[in-house]
Amino acid sequence: MNLIDTLWPWLPLMGRGLLVNLGMGALAMSLACVLGTLLGAAQLAPSRALSRPATWLTQLLRNAPWLVVMFFVMQALPYELPIGAGWPFPAWLKAVLALTLPATGNFAEIVRGGLRAVPLAQWEAATALGYSPAARLWRVILPQAIRLMLPPAMGLYCVVTMSTALGSLVGVSEGLSVAREVLAAEARTELLLPVYGVVLMAFFVYIFPISMLARTLERRRSGR
């Protein structure tokens, strides 16, 4: 039996595993966008009592090794929540929360840079219109900063999605874990590279167009 005939029946299972990766990446990035926006905006707050802790927290999160954060969160969170007789805390959700933390730190820097890139005249105009500091930020400045933030945010999403493979090290049944199960079931050493090659190509096919789109948007923004 050739390699294609051997791998073909396993492709649906591997596809479902890779969908878990994509779902984890999308959820982690969504949470990071919300938390990172708040943290990035807090860094520009007039009050040092707010801006300094926000800056320190941002630097802590963005400089923490992703794998170390993954293991830390897995050990720190309980196996079940104290709800009723006990509600299981799934490993995939822990992995999402672990990925969210460093992604939040990186997105906070994207937000801070995007807000600072908005011309000072726009800040002064919003102030002249009588907006409060919070309304000035959310209604006037942030909408203009989004187009500056979009390319690096897309790049960060690519990184987060690729990093979901770390979930295989902590018991999440995602694409890489399924690939290992396939290899264990077939017990054929010649399948090692083809199976991992399928996973590699699946990530590439999904990530590459997004990264190219981010690069195109970046070039348009810079006028090149």
Side-chain angles (χ1 to χ4, degrees), residues 192-208:
L192 186 64
L193 289 180
V195 168
Y196 285 126
V198 169
V199 178
L200 176 63
M201 288 305 300
F203 273 103
F204 176 79
V205 168
Y206 182 77
I207 295 296
F208 182 71

Side-chain angles (χ1 to χ4, degrees), residues 6 9 34 60 75 79 107 113 138 141 149 154 187 191 197:
T6 302
V34 175
L60 173 64
Q75 296 299 320
Y79 289 100
F107 192 78
W138 297 108
I141 304 303
M149 294 158 44
M154 293 173 67
L191 289 177

Side-chain angles (χ1 to χ4, degrees), residues 100-168:
T100 298
L101 294 178
T104 295
N106 283 276
F107 192 78
E109 279 297 284
I110 293 174
V111 171
R112 184 185 67 83
L115 293 177
R116 286 203 163 180
V118 176
L120 180 61
Q122 296 297 318
W123 293 82
E124 294 173 345
T127 302
L129 291 173
Y131 284 113
S132 66
R136 178 180 59 189
L137 179 64
W138 297 108
R139 293 188 178 184
V140 179
I141 304 303
L142 190 58
Q144 297 183 61
I146 287 177
R147 65 182 182 86
L148 305 175
M149 294 158 44
L150 187 56
M154 293 173 67
L156 177 60
Y157 171 65
C158 292
V159 173
V160 172
T161 302
M162 291 186 290
S163 298
T164 57
L166 295 174
S168 65

Side-chain angles (χ1 to χ4, degrees), residues 9-211:
W10 293 106
L11 292 182
L13 180 62
M14 296 178 69
R16 287 194 292 271
L18 289 166
L19 286 177
V20 173
N21 290 96
L22 301 185
M24 289 170 57
L27 181 56
M29 188 64 189
S30 297
L31 294 173
C33 286
V34 175
L35 299 176
T37 298
L38 296 175
L39 193 57
Q43 293 183 73
L44 301 180
S47 172
R48 287 193 173 185
L50 180 59
S51 62
R52 280 191 174 181
T55 300
W56 294 337
L57 180 58
T58 297
Q59 295 305 315
L60 173 64
L61 294 178
R62 71 190 299 261
N63 292 294
W66 293 55
L67 183 57
V68 175
V69 174
M70 179 73 70
F71 281 117
F72 179 84
V73 170
M74 283 290 175
Q75 296 299 320
L77 295 178
Y79 289 100
E80 61 179 20
L81 298 174
I83 301 176
W87 192 274
F89 204 143
W92 68 265
L93 183 54
K94 293 181 182 180
V96 166
L97 296 177
L99 293 172
T100 298
L101 294 178
T104 295
N106 283 276
F107 192 78
E109 279 297 284
I110 293 174
V111 171
R112 184 185 67 83
L115 293 177
R116 286 203 163 180
V118 176
L120 180 61
Q122 296 297 318
W123 293 82
E124 294 173 345
T127 302
L129 291 173
Y131 284 113
S132 66
R136 178 180 59 189
L137 179 64
W138 297 108
R139 293 188 178 184
V140 179
I141 304 303
L142 190 58
Q144 297 183 61
I146 287 177
R147 65 182 182 86
L148 305 175
M149 294 158 44
L150 187 56
M154 293 173 67
L156 177 60
Y157 171 65
C158 292
V159 173
V160 172
T161 302
M162 291 186 290
S163 298
T164 57
L166 295 174
S168 65
L169 302 178
V170 291
V172 180
S173 183
E174 44 73 65
L176 192 57
S177 299
V178 172
R180 291 173 179 170
E181 294 171 6
V182 171
L183 292 171
E186 291 291 340
R188 293 172 55 185
T189 56
E190 68 269 21
L191 289 177
L192 186 64
L193 289 180
V195 168
Y196 285 126
V198 169
V199 178
L200 176 63
M201 288 305 300
F203 273 103
F204 176 79
V205 168
Y206 182 77
I207 295 296
F208 182 71
I210 299 176
S211 63

